[in-house]
Amino acid sequence: MRYVIVGLHAAGRSACAWLRRLRPDASIVGVDPEAMPPYARPLISYVLSGELEPGQLNVEGPDFWDRLGVRVVSERATALDPDKKILTLASGRQEPYDCLLVATGSSPRPAGVQGSAAKEIHYFRTRGHVERILAACRPGGSAAVLGGGLVGFKLTMGLLARGMRVHLLVTSPQPLALNVDERVGAWAAEQLAALPNLALQTCVTAQSMEPEPSGGYRLTLDTGESLTVDLVAAGKGVIPASGWLDGSGLACADGLAVDQRLLTAAPEVYAAGDTAICRDVALGAPRINAIWPLAVEQGRFAAWNMAGQDCPYPGGLAMNSIPLFGRHVVSVGAVNPRLTRGCVSEVAEDRQGRYLKLVFDGSSGRIVGALGLDAAPRLGELTWAVRRGLTRDDIPTHWRRAPLSAAPLAARTEWLAKAAGL
Amino acid sequence: MVVKSVIIRPELCVGCMQCMIRCAEAHSESGVLALAVSEAVLAKPRIHIGVGPELRPFPNKCRHCEPAPCQEACMPGAIRSDIAEGLKIVDMARCIGCGMCGMVCPYFAIRYYPAAQVAGHGAVAIKCDGCHERVARGQVPACVEACVTGALAFEDVNRHMNAGVNRLANAALGVTA
Ligand SMILES: Cc1cc2nc3c(=O)[nH]c(=O)nc-3n(C[C@H](O)[C@H](O)[C@H](O)COP(=O)(O)OP(=O)(O)OC[C@H]3O[C@@H](n4cnc5c(N)ncnc54)[C@H](O)[C@@H]3O)c2cc1C
Ligand code: SF4
Ligand code: SF4
């Protein structure tokens, strides 16, 4: 059996490790121009802020792939022929496969800025990106960050830590609009507004970027204002890196649709991670949740299925854990106002400002999301609860009243019976 | 796969919290309760007595899952399974305190505190490490040593499972002996 794994980051690495465990003798070929040495991309924000050294990005030694028995081809895949079962690489080289995994993840969403300098916008996804931003940073300089989502936030905090003055330009009415509710978003905006060296502007979009004769760039906004800055960086979300599959009959611009076994429409071609459109258990609909734990988990399920087992993937859901201004914001499932219309929420709050909100479906009472600000770190249980389809009545009153001291929800054996379908 | 592990029998727990105290002691710098209480960074327990079903005490700790959701979520690879067989142990020096592991642990088995072992870091993930160093020295985990009611026991998991299956089968078949 010849397995080919395209993309060797979170999902691809996990799939390789499980395939090797399940099929000790199989031939496994990994294809990724960025495979060596293995690193973890979320750590680039810690390198930008100076909390980690660039060398600490690496999570495995350079002999990792050899030890795992994976032959790595450091190239980009450019085409797939599912009928002939052949993968074509940038050099023209061809890799035949019996079973293939697409784990090519995602790429930064283009910032949508016009102008002759727009190509100099820094994106923030790879080791190379953070190296380039660090080279362009200088204390006392100024930067514009486009996007108030998680990556925009991390860029902002990192650039501030490097001594830059930052203009954070957010299209939505509040930062982190997709990840938190109005209340926590407003708190984050308040905290940002109080930061020295930071100017937060909401409901604004950068339209064009031109070089300034004296150095730096002029950024024109849709409000008619303009800003002169030394560096422009964007964190406007991600798009699935599935464009290379155009022509294979598989790809769709929004990612790769998969069935319960993570199999795409082509035989023996599976997908996992940021490129795979899986069922979202909170929303009950297909959706990409581009986060690390799901990429690793899907890599494992894909490997199990690729190794011939029949392991239906239970589905993913959004999960975020954001250390913010000395506090901790956590969210699972549906919490943002757009996705929670018609839902009923219940809030527990104490005098220290700890806040835990549970969101239930308005008609079925099923828990669909939760959001915490410095709440007891119990969101893992709520993730479990969303996945198991627990309802409001399943969550005991004492758990809701005193989430710091309650035993785990999973301690209740009747739910184990429910989960097992007894 | 680990053979011996801490088995919890919540029905025997009286909520005395001795296990929490002895766990914190075992993970303190000095390892001695009298000194541990005045250490600069207080050691925290890795086992907790929570309010369980019918408001009864419920001892709760890491189950050392396999595969472990916390390990899959850990981006810097700080949760390791190569330190002691069958145990998921946080390498505090690698932990960045991101909280992703707590996001996915179904059992509320991970908490976040500063730790003396990594002074100067912010809060790091603190969870049960199976007292692997004590066990390597031939001791039982500190919580088990502290538990006088038998609610915590260091036992062969497979034998425990077999006994459970037998109990279930007997119940299903109406065997009372
Ligand atoms: C700054 C930052 C912070 C983040 N923070 C968090 C966080 O705190 N928590 C969290 O859960 N998630 C976080 N994420 C998201 C997380 O990193 C991703 O969800 C995760 O990396 C997805 O893994 P993946 O394997 O699906 O794809 P990717 O990580 O995108 O990896 C895809 C791999 O495929 C390769 N590839 C792409 N195209 C091709 C091709 N044509 N041929 C061959 N190889 C190809 C790429 O080189 C890459 O190595 C963060 C991301 C960033 C950028
Ligand atoms: S911390 Fe939680 S998820 Fe991790 S091994 Fe322990 S019980 Fe499992
Ligand atoms: S808090 Fe530490 S152990 Fe937990 S996921 Fe983050 S880095 Fe890993």
Side-chain angles (χ1 to χ4, degrees):
Chain A
M1 192 70 163
R2 193 179 155 86
Y3 293 105
V4 173
I5 313 295
V6 193
L8 296 176
H9 210 83
R13 279 208 294 266
S14 157
C16 287
W18 279 97
L19 269 178
R20 183 46 80 221
R21 261 168 97 159
L22 298 163
R23 290 277 174 269
D25 303 323
S27 147
I28 308 177
V29 178
V31 177
D32 191 329
E34 218 206 349
M36 310 260 214
Y39 75 105
R41 66 181 75 260
L43 304 188
I44 62 175
S45 54
Y46 293 79
V47 170
L48 180 61
S49 62
E51 290 163 85
L52 292 181
E53 295 298 322
Q56 291 176 290
L57 282 177
N58 298 344
V59 289
E60 299 286 353
D63 60 344
F64 172 74
W65 296 112
D66 289 343
R67 279 191 287 115
L68 203 57
V70 173
R71 179 165 67 77
V72 173
V73 184
S74 296
E75 273 198 60
R76 186 162 290 280
T78 50
L80 180 76
D81 184 337
D83 296 328
K84 295 196 181 123
K85 292 196 163 180
I86 287 180
L87 178 77
T88 306
L89 310 184
S91 62
R93 170 177 169 167
Q94 297 197 318
E95 289 286 344
Y97 65 85
D98 295 313
C99 188
L100 179 135
L101 177 70
V102 179
T104 46
S106 48
S107 316
R109 183 186 296 283
V113 176
Q114 308 296 313
S116 61
K119 57 184 179 307
E120 288 172 47
I121 293 178
H122 290 273
Y123 290 97
F124 199 48
R125 179 113 192 129
T126 65
R127 188 202 304 267
H129 289 156
V130 70
E131 282 167 3
R132 283 194 285 281
I133 297 183
L134 282 174
C137 264
R138 62 177 179 82
S142 62
V145 172
L146 316 181
L150 288 171
V151 171
F153 233 85
K154 290 178 178 181
L155 274 166
T156 302
M157 302 317 267
L159 291 168
L160 287 172
R162 293 280 166 183
M164 296 199 80
R165 284 173 289 114
V166 180
H167 296 269
L168 174 58
L169 307 175
V170 182
T171 310
S172 317
Q174 67 176 32
L176 299 177
L178 292 178
N179 311 97
V180 300
D181 64 357
E182 278 148 351
R183 153 100 199 257
V184 175
W187 168 81
E190 217 173 88
Q191 298 294 312
L192 281 171
L195 283 182
N197 294 331
L198 180 86
L200 167 69
Q201 275 181 269
T202 53
C203 302
V204 67
T205 305
Q207 283 187 323
S208 74
M209 178 171 160
E210 298 294 344
E212 278 281 87
S214 53
Y217 308 98
R218 172 172 295 269
L219 206 55
T220 309
L221 313 181
D222 61 351
T223 53
E225 294 163 89
S226 65
L227 293 173
T228 305
V229 290
D230 302 318
L231 179 161
V232 180
K236 302 283 272 182
V238 290
I239 48 173
S242 49
W244 65 278
L245 287 163
D246 285 349
S248 67
L250 264 185
C252 109
D254 302 327
L256 280 181
V258 290
D259 69 7
Q260 268 212 321
R261 298 180 65 239
L262 303 182
L263 184 65
T264 66
E268 301 300 331
V269 176
Y270 292 77
D274 284 11
T275 11
I277 310 173
C278 299
R279 200 177 80 88
D280 182 302
V281 286
L283 304 177
R287 181 172 195 247
I288 294 185
N289 285 302
I291 56 168
W292 186 275
L294 295 186
V296 178
E297 182 180 76
Q298 288 164 20
R300 163 162 58 86
F301 273 84
W304 281 344
N305 287 311
M306 291 167 80
Q309 301 185 12
D310 188 13
C311 298
Y313 181 58
L317 77 169
M319 291 183 252
N320 290 291
S321 165
I322 322 160
L324 211 60
F325 306 113
R327 300 183 71 181
H328 208 124
V329 178
V330 272
S331 69
V332 297
V335 289
N336 86 47
R338 198 169 48 83
L339 294 177
T340 51
R341 272 185 214 122
C343 288
V344 183
S345 56
E346 191 174 298
V347 170
E349 203 171 2
D350 65 13
R351 274 197 231 119
Q352 286 87 44
R354 284 191 294 233
Y355 170 79
L356 179 69
K357 175 176 176 176
L358 306 182
V359 184
F360 302 95
D361 181 84
S363 48
S364 66
R366 207 170 54 87
I367 178 162
V368 292
L371 174 69
L373 174 62
D374 270 356
R378 307 203 69 145
L379 278 276
E381 277 172 88
L382 295 172
T383 305
W384 177 89
V386 174
R387 283 188 149 165
R388 289 287 184 277
L390 299 197
T391 64
R392 190 179 184 163
D393 297 339
D394 290 325
I395 300 181
T397 321
H398 75 270
W399 193 103
R400 295 197 298 239
R401 290 219 185 106
L404 268 177
S405 56
L409 289 171
R412 294 186 53 164
T413 42
E414 59 266 36
W415 292 332
L416 297 180
K418 185 173 173 176
L422 295 174
Chain B
M1 169 124 188
V2 70
V3 178
K4 274 190 136 186
S5 186
V6 178
I7 307 285
I8 297 181
R9 293 188 177 85
E11 66 279 12
L12 298 181
C13 175
V14 292
C16 70
M17 298 192 188
Q18 283 300 315
C19 54
M20 290 176 64
I21 296 170
R22 293 298 168 186
C23 174
E25 175 190 36
H27 292 91
S28 67
E29 288 274 84
S30 59
V32 180
L33 187 57
L35 302 175
V37 289
S38 50
E39 285 171 12
V41 182
L42 285 183
K44 298 289 184 182
R46 278 86 167 141
I47 183 166
H48 297 91
I49 305 300
V51 181
E54 285 92 51
L55 306 187
R56 292 186 44 79
F58 184 93
N60 187 38
K61 61 176 274 299
C62 168
R63 272 74 164 165
H64 299 283
C65 313
E66 180 59 41
C70 61
Q71 192 175 31
E72 293 199 330
C74 180
M75 305 173 297
I79 298 183
R80 294 175 49 188
S81 38
D82 58 351
I83 295 177
E85 166 125 42
L87 297 176
K88 301 291 177 290
I89 298 177
V90 178
D91 177 348
M92 291 186 198
R94 278 176 123 171
C95 172
I96 52 174
C98 65
M100 289 304 293
C101 49
M103 220 45 244
V104 294
C105 169
Y107 302 112
F108 188 30
I110 308 181
R111 318 273 165 121
Y112 302 90
Y113 301 108
Q117 291 83 346
V118 284
H121 278 214
V124 291
I126 303 277
K127 67 179 262 320
C128 167
D129 61 0
C131 274
H132 64 102
E133 287 167 355
R134 286 174 59 101
V135 172
R137 290 195 298 266
Q139 293 172 279
V140 298
C143 57
V144 173
E145 195 172 271
C147 184
V148 291
T149 66
L152 304 176
F154 192 50
E155 285 176 7
D156 184 319
V157 180
N158 294 323
R159 275 180 44 195
H160 181 74
M161 295 287 277
N162 285 345
V165 169
N166 286 344
R167 267 203 310 277
L168 247 169
N170 286 348
L173 298 172
V175 179
T176 48

